[in-house]
Amino acid sequence: MIVTLIVVCEVGFWVLLAGGLSLRYLAKMPRAGIAVLLLEPVLELVLLIATAVDLKNGAAADWKHGLAAVYIGYSAGLGHSTIKWVDARFAHRFAGGPPPVKPPKYGRERTVHEWKTAARWILSCAVALALLQAAVWYVGDSGDISSLRAWQTKMLIVAGINLAIAASYTLWPKQAPATPEQQAPSPEELKR
């Protein structure tokens, strides 16, 4: 039941997103579009309640309950940026909006971008970790929590990878390629 509900929530996310953006840009009903987009968190709330009820009714805590926590964590940390990303492309494609802004490629701006991305992923992992820990406490000593602990380890790994990526851009910032003028040897270098 939980896996089916996760799939329903994911499909519902995209249906609400498409419906909200269609109302906002195609039907020229921005308030109705925003109202539909604001229904997105209801999906995660339904999933959270269903997972808690499933555990309360005696279901053994397994990978499905962990996946539900991870899905809710992803939605909490990355849902808003995903909506903004799709919104910019939808507005450009269907409503004559400006082209979406591409992330910076080089220098300090790229480093800041990578840290913001890492922060969103770390928030996702933190929410998932908190939900997983709540499930561990909820199940207590009476049940097997190894699957939930395995998901916690995976979330720590994901957070660590994102920290490492952001740190690498801090330590070794990506530099813009040299222009042809910068690459051309000077007359003095040619004489050597």
Side-chain angles (χ1 to χ4, degrees):
M1 175 186 104
I2 298 297
V3 174
T4 303
L5 192 54
I6 292 170
V7 171
V8 167
C9 285
E10 181 65 14
V11 170
F13 173 85
W14 291 104
V15 167
L16 287 174
L17 184 57
L21 294 177
S22 294
L23 285 170
R24 186 173 183 180
Y25 295 112
L26 300 178
K28 308 280 191 233
M29 299 170 63
R31 287 186 183 183
I34 289 172
V36 169
L37 292 175
L38 288 174
L39 292 174
E40 299 277 356
V42 174
L43 296 172
E44 284 72 36
L45 184 61
V46 167
L47 180 59
L48 179 63
I49 292 168
T51 303
V53 166
D54 192 42
L55 288 171
K56 183 171 176 43
N57 289 338
D62 62 10
W63 67 271
K64 296 174 279 208
H65 300 98
L67 181 62
V70 170
Y71 179 81
I72 293 168
Y74 175 87
S75 296
L78 293 159
H80 181 70
S81 61
T82 301
I83 291 170
K84 282 178 59 176
W85 187 86
V86 174
D87 183 41
R89 279 142 187 82
F90 196 95
H92 176 65
R93 174 80 167 99
F94 297 109
V101 177
K102 293 183 179 182
K105 291 184 178 183
Y106 309 108
R108 184 181 189 303
E109 294 80 16
R110 178 59 186 233
T111 301
V112 169
H113 171 76
E114 291 299 331
W115 277 106
K116 287 180 180 177
T117 301
R120 287 190 289 272
W121 275 101
I122 291 167
L123 174 62
S124 295
C125 292
V127 170
L129 283 165
L131 291 172
L132 288 163
Q133 187 59 45
V136 166
W137 289 332
Y138 189 72
V139 171
D141 296 333
S142 62
D144 180 20
I145 56 170
S146 60
S147 177
L148 300 174
R149 292 289 187 206
W151 276 109
Q152 286 180 318
T153 301
K154 290 173 186 164
M155 291 300 92
L156 290 171
I157 291 169
V158 169
I161 288 170
N162 280 279
L163 274 174
I165 291 169
S168 73
Y169 276 92
T170 301
L171 298 173
W172 304 285
K174 191 172 180 184
Q175 300 298 323
T179 61
E181 297 83 32
Q182 293 171 327
Q183 291 178 344
S186 66
E188 292 82 27
E189 291 175 328
L190 289 174
K191 290 180 186 177
R192 292 183 203 171

